[in-house]
Amino acid sequence: MIARQVRASGGMWFSLNGLQFHVDPGPGALVRALSSRHNLDPTKLSALLLSHRHLDHSADINVMIEAMTMGGTERRGRLYAPADALEGDDPVVFRYLRNFLEEIVVLREKGIYNLGPINFTCPVRHRHRGEVYGFKFESPGLVISYIADTAYFPELADYYQADIIIFNVVRYKPSDLDHLHFPEVEQLIKVMKPKLAIMTHFGMTMIKAKPWLLARELCQKTGCEVVAASDGMAISLEQYKDETGEKTGQTAS
Ligand SMILES: [Zn+2]
């Protein structure tokens, strides 16, 4: 998928309660952001979040640090990443860029982090090569979970319970890869019953199965709203927030 750019691989851009941050800047993140019709300005980002160090999630982390900090002319922004993305045999964040950042925060299992108007947690370490975490974002009136790369385990449903859940769905049929496949995501949606489920991070078998049709099928089976992400898709979050909550924002894939 990445080598041929069948689908864009730049990750997700969040705008939540006036705060902008980017999650998993894979190959093309900066170029896709700058060419996006959604007016995405990297110098407005407050943080970059890495779920793990694999190339499809981290390839553009360095260039995004450069962009967020205006080439290091202004020390600003935070980076959140697992320890093995920063240290060890094969770190993915250049050392010379690290001083450009206001702060580097090492993610831990069950860690709780504050990003101004929102809090987020890394509820559980994933079953995937290396150190991998998903995120659960809590803003007034709205909880959003991102289940990053992982093999299935039933406790995912409890850890990531939320109004909106983003699933990385790599395979259409069961496989022994350490990734979620489509039937497992169906199972999770049935149990978790989010207001909105978003499927993304498709492998070729998912693309061939036409994810937009699969989303419609899941919607009928589960009674939940399900969408398949596409390049440049923006989702307004307003309609999913609790009535008592405050103004939230949108996310772009
Ligand atoms: Zn991975």
Side-chain angles (χ1 to χ4, degrees), residues 35-250:
S35 60
S36 162
R37 65 185 187 278
H38 302 303
N39 200 16
L40 305 175
D41 178 355
T43 65
K44 300 286 191 298
L45 288 168
S46 294
L48 299 164
L49 277 67
L50 267 190
S51 66
H52 65 302
R53 58 182 293 286
H54 289 160
L55 178 125
D56 50 336
H57 299 254
S58 72
D60 261 15
I61 189 64
N62 291 300
V63 78
M64 288 303 285
I65 293 171
E66 176 95 7
M68 180 171 73
T69 61
M70 290 171 271
T73 55
E74 196 180 317
R75 194 168 175 166
R76 63 180 299 276
R78 291 184 195 164
L79 168 66
Y80 295 85
D84 71 354
L86 299 164
E87 302 300 333
D89 294 340
D90 206 7
V92 294
V93 181
F94 289 144
R95 291 183 198 282
Y96 83 91
L97 290 173
R98 298 184 189 189
N99 284 336
F100 294 4
L101 294 157
E102 189 186 310
E103 193 182 5
I104 297 176
V105 181
V106 179
L107 297 171
R108 310 264 181 226
E109 185 175 49
K110 302 209 186 310
I112 301 171
Y113 308 95
N114 177 256
L115 257 178
I118 64 165
N119 289 315
F120 74 94
T121 60
C122 295
V124 63
R125 182 169 173 166
H126 283 198
R127 299 187 186 167
H128 192 70
R129 288 147 295 147
E131 195 174 354
V132 185
Y133 301 107
F135 305 115
K136 188 171 177 179
F137 302 102
E138 306 204 15
S139 66
L142 190 70
V143 180
I144 304 171
S145 285
Y146 166 51
I147 306 183
D149 295 5
T150 185
Y152 175 84
F153 53 103
E155 296 82 4
L156 285 170
D158 290 330
Y159 285 122
Y160 288 104
Q161 195 61 248
D163 301 306
I164 298 173
I165 306 169
I166 301 162
F167 295 91
N168 281 358
V169 196
V170 172
R171 289 291 185 104
Y172 177 49
K173 294 213 161 113
S175 76
D176 51 10
L177 283 184
D178 52 357
H179 278 290
L180 292 179
H181 53 67
F182 183 67
E184 290 166 339
V185 171
E186 177 179 340
Q187 178 59 28
L188 285 169
I189 293 174
K190 276 182 180 158
V191 176
M192 298 170 86
K193 297 206 171 306
K195 292 177 188 167
L196 173 67
I198 302 169
M199 298 191 291
T200 188
H201 200 296
F202 305 127
M204 200 55 86
T205 57
M206 279 296 290
I207 293 293
K208 283 187 178 145
K210 302 187 171 68
W212 58 95
L213 297 182
L214 298 177
R216 199 188 300 163
E217 179 192 311
L218 272 193
C219 200
Q220 285 159 355
K221 276 188 179 171
T222 63
C224 297
E225 189 180 344
V226 183
V227 299
S230 57
D231 296 354
M233 173 187 271
I235 294 176
S236 171
L237 306 176
E238 276 304 301
Q239 59 188 298
Y240 302 102
K241 74 169 198 238
D242 197 310
E243 292 305 315
T244 55
E246 292 164 21
K247 196 177 183 311
T248 50
Q250 60 173 213

